[in-house]
Amino acid sequence: MAAAAPVTVRVQHDDFDVAAETARLTAGRADAGAIVTFTGLCRDEGGRLAALELEHYPGMAEAEIGQICEQAVTRFSLLGLTAIHRVGKIAPGENIVLVIALAPHRHAAFDGASFVMDYLKTSAPFWKKEHFADGRTGGWVDAKDSDDQARAKWS
Amino acid sequence: MAAAAPVTVRVQHDDFDVAAETARLTAGRADAGAIVTFTGLCRDEGGRLAALELEHYPGMAEAEIGQICEQAVTRFSLLGLTAIHRVGKIAPGENIVLVIALAPHRHAAFDGASFVMDYLKTSAPFWKKEHFADGRTGGWVDAKDSDDQARAKWS
Amino acid sequence: MTKLVYFAWVRERIGKGEEDIDLPASVKTGSDLLRHLKTLGDDYAHALEHENVIRIAINQEHVEHDEPIAGAREIALFPPMTGG
Amino acid sequence: MTKLVYFAWVRERIGKGEEDIDLPASVKTGSDLLRHLKTLGDDYAHALEHENVIRIAINQEHVEHDEPIAGAREIALFPPMTGG
């Protein structure tokens, strides 16, 4: 019998260790043929940005990501899925979000990770505020129509 | 000015270190917003398989992957791309192939890694032979029509 | 009493992250709630000026503006999400 | 002399990984080469039985079967690829 498909969801201040999370997801099983890892990073926006500040709705953020992950596991028959989102101040070059999808074949793993990111962007209650290199606090990042369109392509 | 988009291609017997390869690709730059990593693993096929034996055409294998990677960098405006393919005997659960795509935004990184894998499967001169757990040497793995179809969707 | 929670620029403009509030019986939906809150002061009016961009969650689940809020323990108001 | 290289089950059935061979002037294309090699013995005939599945590379680049082989330094014959 195949092992269950473990789903891990975390929201945390600390950075994550992609290798350790991947090892945890694949440990003790040899039925997976594909791992797709997505890591979202803070860009410096051409040197303009000093940091992003990530705010979230505790409880709902974890629950929304959890629901998205369960949908992805079912829809793409994933063998495992991990999603970790950081909050707090994040400097350019640092990690923001991690999704790891484990599947027997590559297309399911690619689709699973991509699906989670497209839904997470539009459904999970996180907000980004920009802090600029010149000391000004920028505004809140606007939601993008392109993210809604990306999500819509899955329905 | 943006740094150039480094392309790394290797064919090797030894395992690769995903974290080290990722760190090398992102070192010294903060213009990337997305890393997509694909790792292809040897499946045990329900316990039937003892190992895969990977053969390649030295020289041509590296050149083909290199051409695929250059196409991917241009087509998806990637900031960097690494592709490593192992050869020799590989046990279930072990790594076979690694693709890491670095981009400003997530869709380019997903598409870049997926494109490289779809082309690599059908164009790069590698062949897999199965060694079974019961001691028999299995046949050579057949090419799959689904891989040709996956490649065709990019053209 | 109903617990209201605010995030991002909704929180900043209203000037607090949460509050417990007595809602009149006439406030039956999310839309009613937004209109009621806008009568409570300039900060609320500014935060909720563009009603159509405000997202509403009841008991930590997304709802449409016309959803009834009866029995809600916690109602959250926030801008479009920008995580990931 | 032209260098021929074989991979996977083409290599196993022919019984060698490479060889240098003198090709008759009548062998002008990849298809001509496959037909010529099949006359060299049962091993070749078995390896190249289904010509349409055999892939050909000249100087390490994929070519169609009707491609001229004139001037080729190295011609490779192999089954459909199964890497990744």
Side-chain angles (χ1 to χ4, degrees):
Chain A
M1 210 187 94
V7 172
T8 298
V9 172
R10 292 206 309 275
V11 175
Q12 62 190 39
H13 274 80
D14 294 339
D15 196 10
F16 44 75
D17 179 335
V18 183
E21 297 299 336
T22 304
R24 215 157 58 84
L25 201 54
T26 56
R29 65 191 312 157
D31 53 352
I35 308 169
V36 168
T37 297
F38 174 84
T39 310
L41 304 163
C42 178
R43 287 186 303 273
D44 68 357
E45 307 296 357
R48 198 172 55 89
L49 196 79
L52 283 177
E53 189 172 348
L54 268 289
E55 178 172 335
H56 77 302
Y57 185 173
M60 182 172 171
E62 293 84 345
E64 278 290 322
I65 300 176
Q67 284 171 30
I68 295 163
C69 287
E70 295 295 343
Q71 281 176 41
V73 164
T74 302
R75 180 163 175 168
F76 303 106
S77 301
L78 302 180
L79 298 175
L81 187 55
T82 294
I84 301 174
H85 204 301
R86 292 181 68 197
V87 291
K89 269 205 182 180
I90 295 177
E94 280 189 56
N95 294 323
I96 297 174
V97 60
L98 172 67
V99 175
I100 311 176
L102 190 70
H105 298 281
R106 74 188 184 284
H107 290 123
F110 273 116
D111 283 348
S114 182
F115 174 95
V116 169
M117 281 307 304
D118 285 345
Y119 271 75
L120 191 155
K121 282 261 176 190
T122 54
S123 302
F126 291 87
W127 302 270
K128 287 193 188 98
K129 187 178 195 169
E130 294 179 318
H131 294 268
F132 293 127
D134 62 10
R136 286 182 309 123
T137 296
W140 293 88
V141 173
D142 280 329
K144 286 187 288 185
D145 288 344
S146 59
D147 285 331
D148 288 329
Q149 289 155 16
R151 172 177 165 161
K153 78 165 191 275
W154 296 105
S155 54
Chain B
M1 210 187 97
V7 171
T8 299
V9 172
R10 294 207 305 276
V11 175
Q12 61 190 40
H13 274 80
D14 294 338
D15 195 9
F16 43 77
D17 180 335
V18 182
E21 297 298 337
T22 305
R24 216 158 57 83
L25 200 54
T26 57
R29 66 190 310 159
D31 53 352
I35 308 168
V36 169
T37 298
F38 174 83
T39 311
L41 304 163
C42 178
R43 285 185 304 273
D44 68 356
E45 306 296 358
R48 198 173 54 89
L49 195 80
L52 283 176
E53 190 172 348
L54 268 289
E55 178 171 336
H56 78 302
Y57 185 174
M60 182 172 171
E62 293 86 344
E64 280 288 322
I65 300 176
Q67 284 171 29
I68 294 163
C69 286
E70 295 295 344
Q71 281 175 41
V73 164
T74 301
R75 179 163 176 170
F76 304 106
S77 300
L78 302 180
L79 298 175
L81 187 55
T82 294
I84 302 174
H85 204 301
R86 292 181 66 196
V87 291
K89 268 204 182 180
I90 294 177
E94 281 189 55
N95 294 323
I96 298 174
V97 61
L98 173 67
V99 175
I100 311 176
L102 190 70
H105 298 281
R106 73 187 184 285
H107 291 123
F110 274 116
D111 284 347
S114 182
F115 174 95
V116 169
M117 281 307 305
D118 284 345
Y119 271 75
L120 190 155
K121 282 259 174 189
T122 54
S123 301
F126 292 86
W127 301 271
K128 288 194 187 94
K129 187 178 194 167
E130 294 179 318
H131 294 269
F132 293 127
D134 61 10
R136 287 183 307 123
T137 296
W140 292 88
V141 173
D142 280 329
K144 285 187 288 185
D145 288 343
S146 59
D147 285 331
D148 288 329
Q149 288 154 14
R151 172 178 165 160
K153 77 167 191 273
W154 296 105
S155 54
Chain C
M1 299 284 274
T2 304
K3 183 181 183 185
L4 298 182
V5 295
Y6 311 121
F7 294 98
W9 52 255
V10 173
R11 172 180 56 72
E12 288 185 339
R13 290 177 188 178
I14 291 180
K16 57 187 110 176
E18 59 178 84
E19 61 186 319
D20 291 305
I21 201 164
D22 264 322
L23 295 174
S26 62
V27 173
K28 297 186 189 316
T29 68
S31 292
D32 293 341
L33 174 65
L34 294 180
R35 278 192 292 271
H36 172 69
L37 289 173
K38 285 162 82 170
T39 68
L40 300 185
D42 288 349
D43 294 342
Y44 290 94
H46 177 48
L48 308 175
E49 182 183 0
H50 301 289
E51 291 182 23
N52 60 316
V53 305
I54 303 295
R55 306 299 166 93
I56 305 177
I58 295 181
N59 300 338
Q60 307 203 345
E61 295 203 3
H62 296 290
V63 298
E64 299 297 325
H65 283 204
D66 59 1
E67 192 91 3
I69 62 171
R73 296 181 309 279
E74 180 174 299
I75 303 176
L77 304 180
F78 46 77
M81 293 148 284
T82 56
Chain D
M1 299 283 275
T2 303
K3 181 180 183 184
L4 298 181
V5 295
Y6 312 121
F7 294 98
W9 52 254
V10 173
R11 172 179 57 71
E12 287 185 339
R13 290 177 188 177
I14 291 179
K16 58 187 110 174
E18 59 177 85
E19 61 186 319
D20 291 304
I21 201 165
D22 265 322
L23 296 175
S26 62
V27 173
K28 297 188 188 310
T29 68
S31 292
D32 293 342
L33 174 64
L34 293 179
R35 278 191 293 271
H36 172 71
L37 289 173
K38 285 162 83 171
T39 68
L40 300 186
D42 287 348
D43 293 340
Y44 291 93
H46 176 48
L48 308 175
E49 182 182 0
H50 302 290
E51 291 182 22
N52 60 317
V53 304
I54 303 293
R55 306 299 166 94
I56 305 176
I58 296 182
N59 300 340
Q60 306 204 346
E61 295 202 3
H62 296 290
V63 298
E64 299 296 325
H65 283 204
D66 59 2
E67 192 90 3
I69 63 171
R73 297 182 307 279
E74 180 173 298
I75 303 176
L77 305 179
F78 45 78
M81 292 148 285
T82 56

